[in-house]
Amino acid sequence: MTQTQPSSNLTAHSPVPFTAERGTLGNLLMLLVPPLVLFGMFILLYAMVRANLEPHRQFLMPSGYELWDKAFGLSDVRWELLTRSLTTLGIALAGLCISIPVGILLGVIMFRATILERAMFPNIVAFQSIPTLAIIPLIQTALGFGTLPKVLIVAKFTMFAIPITLLLGLKSVDRGIINLFRLQGASWRKTLVKACFPSAAPALFAGLRIAASLAVISAIVSELFFLAGRGGLGQMIINSKIDFKYEQMYAALMTATFLSVCVYIAFTWLGHWLFSDWHESGGKET
């Protein structure tokens, strides 16, 4: 009695489909269309809320024509927006220059020893949860009303995400890679630099994007507490509100939003450029 081998009907299965790679125009549309649609929905909501206001209160929400006629259309206002944006951007970047290296150092220290992680992690969370308004008098007493307090407030806002995401990335490194380095007699520092940091870099850049999105916002918040000297967009918002120049106030708010998005996009682009060839976080589709 002969046994019949089960026939494998491979032809009945179609090959696994792969996503067709989009061209330049497709990538551009995918980049621009979603935020533009959301922006259009926001404009529609703004117009609906403004239309429901009493006529004598509609000056609180100026129309697009009023924004152009009394804010963006005036050369002196555009120049003020530009100069104050540079001031705010400088404060934000200076704060990031402090929070990024300090955050990376804290993440490495917590990764080095579990006891250090247990000692430092609750303090980092507690430090982040302290309301900024509560420590403003201490900062004013110690550092005065200059630029340095503003930079430190930005560093406080933006530092929290960096050590947390870096520590998560370092702990997610394949243990086999670390054991291979140990078998080769590599030092802890070389293992950290050659094996751990490259694997944890995408997680770190996720934290950097979060910090970048908060940098401009925290710079404006710091200017609300320290109004001495030449300020940025935050000071322009306060001054415009006091002078009932709501068109200029909204123009400063829109400029601050645009500035924050630009900083976030810059860090996102840098992460995609670094990781697109070898990691999923680079956004390269197959």
Side-chain angles (χ1 to χ4, degrees):
M1 183 177 180
T2 59
Q3 295 180 352
T4 58
Q5 297 292 334
S7 60
S8 58
N9 190 12
L10 296 179
T11 58
H13 301 279
S14 60
V16 178
F18 288 93
T19 304
E21 187 174 352
R22 290 191 297 264
T24 304
L25 180 60
N27 291 329
L28 185 62
L29 289 176
M30 289 299 297
L31 180 65
L32 296 179
V33 171
L36 289 178
V37 171
L38 185 61
F39 180 73
M41 294 174 62
F42 175 79
I43 294 298
L44 180 61
L45 179 62
Y46 179 90
M48 291 173 59
V49 174
R50 184 178 187 274
N52 290 326
L53 289 176
E54 295 84 353
H56 67 278
R57 296 185 60 199
Q58 289 187 352
F59 75 96
L60 297 173
M61 300 180 68
S63 63
Y65 173 78
E66 292 171 339
L67 282 174
W68 175 258
D69 186 56
K70 299 181 181 179
F72 289 112
L74 302 178
S75 59
D76 56 340
V77 176
R78 290 198 302 268
W79 176 253
E80 184 177 8
L81 288 171
L82 175 61
T83 55
R84 290 186 180 274
S85 296
L86 294 177
T87 302
T88 299
L89 182 62
I91 296 172
L93 295 180
L96 287 174
C97 288
I98 295 176
S99 62
I100 290 176
V102 173
I104 293 176
L105 179 61
L106 291 176
V108 172
I109 291 175
M110 290 189 292
F111 177 68
R112 183 67 178 90
T114 305
I115 189 172
L116 295 177
E117 177 189 352
R118 293 175 179 175
M120 298 177 63
F121 195 92
N123 291 283
I124 294 176
V125 175
F127 178 73
Q128 180 67 20
S129 63
I130 297 176
T132 303
L133 185 62
I135 62 175
I136 289 300
L138 299 177
I139 298 178
Q140 291 175 346
T141 302
L143 302 175
F145 296 86
T147 303
L148 181 58
K150 302 176 185 178
V151 173
L152 293 180
I153 290 178
V154 174
K156 174 187 178 299
F157 268 86
T158 58
M159 189 188 67
F160 178 74
I162 299 173
I164 302 304
T165 54
L166 177 59
L167 181 63
L168 176 63
L170 292 173
K171 285 189 171 184
S172 301
V173 179
D174 189 355
R175 301 303 302 179
I177 298 177
I178 297 178
N179 292 334
L180 179 62
F181 271 75
R182 289 176 178 174
L183 287 175
Q184 297 297 323
S187 63
W188 184 85
R189 183 180 66 83
K190 182 175 290 187
T191 304
L192 177 69
V193 174
K194 298 291 186 179
C196 298
F197 263 137
S199 299
L204 173 62
F205 265 83
L208 292 180
R209 288 198 296 268
I210 297 173
S213 64
L214 294 174
V216 176
I217 299 173
S218 55
I220 294 176
V221 171
S222 68
E223 293 172 4
L224 302 181
F225 296 108
F226 299 93
L227 298 176
R230 174 66 178 178
L233 292 173
Q235 192 177 94
M236 183 177 180
I237 292 173
I238 290 296
N239 294 340
S240 300
K241 184 177 183 298
I242 294 175
D243 296 336
F244 294 98
K245 298 179 180 179
Y246 286 94
E247 295 83 7
Q248 297 183 18
M249 184 187 75
Y250 276 88
L253 286 172
M254 296 172 64
T255 304
T257 303
F258 175 76
L259 197 63
S260 181
V261 171
C262 288
V263 175
Y264 175 82
I265 290 176
F267 276 87
T268 302
W269 175 85
L270 180 61
H272 288 182
W273 179 68
L274 291 174
F275 310 128
S276 61
D277 291 332
W278 61 275
H279 198 272
E280 293 85 351
S281 64
K284 189 173 183 179
E285 298 183 4
T286 55

